[in-house]
Amino acid sequence: MLFSFLLCLQRRNNRSEALETEKPGSSALTSTELRVLKLIAAERSSKAIADELFISIRTVERHRANICEKLDLHGVNALTKFAIAHRSEL
């Protein structure tokens, strides 16, 4: 049990280090995903992003999910925290 917990912490640390060395918005993200990420960094809600980009809220949520998958982010607020932390690099 302790071993699996430590292994989980090590994986999380490795992911965190990898994200720090990688530039966000790498070539893995589409231009629309990058625009959505910039708007998330500006602390806009999904509804505000949808209104600004003239797309549905559901489409914004799908873009958010795709970004999380491509950047290997997990957790409810991980994408928002990541976007805000890397705001100047976007």
Side-chain angles (χ1 to χ4, degrees):
M1 177 103 167
L2 179 61
F3 178 73
S4 63
F5 176 72
L6 292 175
L7 186 61
C8 180
L9 286 178
Q10 180 61 38
R11 285 184 192 146
R12 182 181 295 170
N13 187 37
N14 290 344
R15 261 196 327 261
S16 176
E17 288 173 359
L19 287 174
E20 287 176 7
T21 59
E22 282 182 21
K23 184 177 179 185
S26 65
S27 61
L29 296 181
T30 66
S31 60
T32 304
E33 290 168 347
L34 188 55
R35 281 193 311 222
V36 169
L37 186 60
K38 288 177 183 179
L39 291 170
I40 293 169
E43 300 183 38
R44 298 244 174 55
S45 67
S46 290
K47 181 171 178 9
I49 293 170
D51 291 343
E52 188 166 331
L53 299 180
F54 303 104
I55 57 178
S56 73
I57 295 173
R58 176 76 177 115
T59 303
V60 173
E61 293 302 325
R62 187 71 251 159
H63 284 309
R64 292 174 73 109
N66 290 341
I67 294 167
C68 285
E69 185 176 323
K70 290 177 181 180
L71 297 178
D72 196 27
L73 298 173
H74 306 282
V76 177
N77 294 316
L79 178 58
T80 304
K81 289 178 184 178
F82 176 85
I84 292 170
H86 294 88
R87 184 182 302 171
S88 64
E89 301 168 27
L90 297 174

